[in-house]
């Protein structure tokens, strides 16, 4: 194997063409470039920040798990959700007045 690597390092026309082909196959830079251009190539070859799980997973809180946790804590009496308390009170007052709760009861009237 070392014999082939030594042949690839030589500056023959064959070795340059094989290096070009190898770089093209493996998605590397095909032509020799300076360090400034390599910095741009490296930056563009990385995964976007929005799709990088190492950076984005810790940024956004887990809303679904937090909501479930808060519901459990509210059922145990350890957390006070004033908005849900208000909604439940409004539903209770509507039921006392005999009003229909939207979305839970279907209309039973038939056309005659």
């Amino acid at each position: 194997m070392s014999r082939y690597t030594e042949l690839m390092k030589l500056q023959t026309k064959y070795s340059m063409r094989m290096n070009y082909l190898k770089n093209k196959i493996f998605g590397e830079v095909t032509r020799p470039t300076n360090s400034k251009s390599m910095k741009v190539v490296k930056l563009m070859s990385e995964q976007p920040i929005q799709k990088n799980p190492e950076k984005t997973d810790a940024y956004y809180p887990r809303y679904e798990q937090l909501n479930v946790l808060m519901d459990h804590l509210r059922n145990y009496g350890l957390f006070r959700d004033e908005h849900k308390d208000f909604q439940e009170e409004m539903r209770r007052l509507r039921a006392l007045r005999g009003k229909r709760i939207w979305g839970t009861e279907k209309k039973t009237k038939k056309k005659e």
Side-chain angles (χ1 to χ4, degrees), residues 1 7 18 22 25 30 33 37 43 70 88 99 105:
M1 187 68 178
L7 285 173
M18 291 307 289
K22 174 186 70 105
I25 289 172
T30 54
T33 56
S37 297
L43 193 115
M70 291 302 171
E88 287 177 358
K99 298 274 187 164
E105 297 175 10

Side-chain angles (χ1 to χ4, degrees), residues 1-2 5 26 29 43 52 67 83 99 101-102 105 109:
M1 187 68 178
S2 63
T5 55
F26 294 113
V29 179
L43 193 115
N52 190 351
N67 286 339
H83 182 63
K99 298 274 187 164
I101 299 174
W102 290 98
E105 297 175 10
K109 293 181 183 178

Side-chain angles (χ1 to χ4, degrees), residues 88-101:
E88 287 177 358
E89 184 65 19
M90 288 298 117
R91 278 195 210 108
R92 188 182 71 82
L93 292 175
R94 278 182 73 88
L96 286 175
R97 289 192 311 254
K99 298 274 187 164
R100 186 168 73 98
I101 299 174

Side-chain angles (χ1 to χ4, degrees), residues 1-20 22-23:
M1 187 68 178
S2 63
R3 180 178 175 200
Y4 293 110
T5 55
E6 290 174 14
L7 285 173
M8 296 301 281
K9 290 179 185 176
L10 295 175
Q11 290 297 331
T12 63
K13 197 169 186 178
Y14 173 77
S15 67
M16 289 191 313
R17 289 177 73 195
M18 291 307 289
N19 279 330
Y20 179 82
K22 174 186 70 105
N23 290 339

Side-chain angles (χ1 to χ4, degrees), residues 47-86:
Q47 204 174 25
I49 294 174
Q50 298 87 352
K51 294 191 176 187
N52 190 351
E54 295 171 357
K55 295 180 181 177
T56 55
D57 283 348
Y59 185 77
Y60 296 105
R62 298 180 176 184
Y63 288 116
E64 295 174 8
Q65 290 90 347
L66 284 175
N67 286 339
V68 170
L69 176 68
M70 291 302 171
D71 285 340
H72 286 301
L73 290 176
R74 185 170 178 265
N75 291 339
Y76 292 139
L78 299 173
F79 176 71
R80 190 98 177 150
D81 190 352
E82 293 181 8
H83 182 63
K84 281 194 178 178
D85 291 344
F86 178 77

